[in-house]
Amino acid sequence: MKRAPPAWLQATPFTAVMLLFFIAPLLLIAAVSFWPLSDYELIPGFTFQNYATLFEGCASLQDPCVTLKTYASTIKFSLVTWALTLVIGFAIAYFLAFHVRSLTAQTVLFVVCTIPFWTSNVIRMISWVPLLGRNGLVNQTLQAAGLTSEPVEWLLFSDFSVVLAFVHLYTMFMIVPIFNSMMRIDRSLIEAATDAGASAWQTLWNVVVPLSRTGILIGSIFVITIVMGDFVTVGVMGGQQIASVGKTIQVQTSYLQFPLAAANAVVLLAVVLLIIVALNRLVDLRKEL
């Protein structure tokens, strides 16, 4: 009988891929973040000046520095997008899992939800411009209905348009894991709650939500981490007028300030990891999966 190769040998290809394409780039970015800042070339060395530059003037809480303001803006976008995608994603996943009985219908509706992913993110973002612009369809409709006398300015190139694009782009990342968790729920538990006299809302809150927490956590991690590092959406939908950490790093790299951008990336990674650790304190994924 042929024996299977040892576990360490089976894990070697995966480990090699992780080291080459994940761990090594992170270590390189961390190393570059300590190199001296130069306008024309990368000079290996060791200095904390890049981190000092990032947080220069941040000691005063009454007048936060640019870095703190940028991180506050990015976290604001992440939390608002997370809340909206959670509500929308949970509602859609609940409908697909509990109100659509046919497996074929579930599959068809699920595929319909993925249709926007068949095109580029940039194309999906640009599609909002003719709708939300000064002479766009929304403003024309509002003026034709007599609801406004002039175009609404905040529909485009504003915080509203950025959040709208985020929700449009990333709600699916919340739907999929929540739907997967809901499909694993034993339907007899729902029937037992109903037989015990629980209302639909009580069943939802006391049975469905707790049993869907793994999917909620995974979806939350997806959405928050993607939004925290996004710079394309903020640039396009914000009209290059709204700051975010990802946008700052993109600008720094465009000006060849690689050590400073690397330091900013390390700080961003630390913030995202802290958020993930905080979320994991609510649900232990290792036990739930």
Side-chain angles (χ1 to χ4, degrees):
M1 183 175 179
K2 190 174 181 180
R3 296 181 59 185
W8 65 267
L9 185 59
Q10 296 180 43
T12 298
F14 177 75
T15 303
V17 171
M18 286 289 293
L19 289 174
L20 182 62
F21 296 104
F22 184 72
I23 303 299
L26 288 179
L27 293 177
L28 180 59
I29 291 173
V32 172
S33 70
F34 292 103
W35 288 8
L37 185 61
S38 174
D39 293 333
Y40 304 104
E41 59 183 336
L42 288 172
I43 304 174
F46 187 85
T47 178
F48 288 101
Q49 185 58 44
N50 297 316
Y51 292 95
T53 301
L54 282 180
F55 294 101
E56 186 177 0
C58 292
S60 174
L61 296 179
Q62 295 180 347
D63 185 20
C65 62
V66 174
T67 299
L68 291 183
K69 289 180 180 179
T70 304
Y71 272 88
S73 174
T74 304
I75 293 174
K76 177 192 69 176
F77 283 130
S78 297
L79 293 179
V80 174
T81 303
W82 167 77
L84 293 174
T85 55
L86 176 59
V87 172
I88 297 172
F90 189 92
I92 294 175
Y94 182 82
F95 173 77
L96 291 176
F98 294 102
H99 291 278
V100 179
R101 301 298 181 182
S102 169
L103 181 60
T104 302
Q106 282 182 340
T107 303
V108 171
L109 292 175
F110 200 82
V111 171
V112 169
C113 291
T114 65
I115 287 177
F117 285 82
W118 298 358
T119 59
S120 167
N121 280 8
V122 176
I123 294 176
R124 282 185 282 163
M125 281 185 288
I126 294 176
S127 66
W128 286 105
V129 175
L131 291 176
L132 304 178
R134 282 182 56 86
N135 299 315
L137 180 61
V138 175
N139 268 317
Q140 289 180 0
T141 303
L142 292 175
Q143 290 177 282
L147 299 177
T148 59
S149 58
E150 57 185 16
V152 180
E153 299 288 348
W154 53 263
L155 290 178
L156 188 62
F157 303 144
S158 62
D159 289 358
F160 169 80
S161 60
V162 172
V163 171
L164 179 65
F166 277 144
V167 173
H168 176 210
L169 294 175
Y170 303 133
T171 297
M172 197 64 191
F173 288 95
M174 191 70 77
I175 294 175
V176 173
I178 294 177
F179 175 77
N180 184 54
S181 293
M182 287 182 176
M183 290 301 294
R184 296 181 180 183
I185 296 177
D186 189 348
R187 296 306 188 266
S188 62
L189 297 176
I190 309 296
E191 296 177 1
T194 303
D195 294 339
S199 65
W201 283 106
Q202 288 174 326
T203 302
L204 175 66
W205 184 253
N206 295 306
V207 179
V208 177
V209 171
L211 295 177
S212 303
R213 58 185 181 180
T214 301
I216 293 173
L217 176 61
I218 294 174
S220 300
I221 292 175
F222 281 157
V223 171
I224 291 176
T225 54
I226 292 174
V227 174
M228 286 290 291
D230 186 282
F231 65 91
V232 177
T233 307
V234 175
V236 174
M237 300 304 295
Q240 308 298 334
Q241 302 172 17
I242 298 176
S244 72
V245 180
K247 184 64 180 175
T248 301
I249 295 174
Q250 186 262 332
V251 171
Q252 289 169 342
T253 55
S254 67
Y255 283 98
L256 305 182
Q257 297 176 334
F258 295 113
L260 192 59
N264 217 342
V266 171
V267 175
L268 175 61
L269 177 62
V271 172
V272 171
L273 288 177
L274 287 175
I275 294 175
I276 293 175
V277 169
L279 290 173
N280 273 292
R281 293 292 293 262
L282 301 176
V283 179
D284 190 343
L285 281 179
R286 291 175 296 180
K287 292 181 179 180
E288 296 289 339
L289 293 177

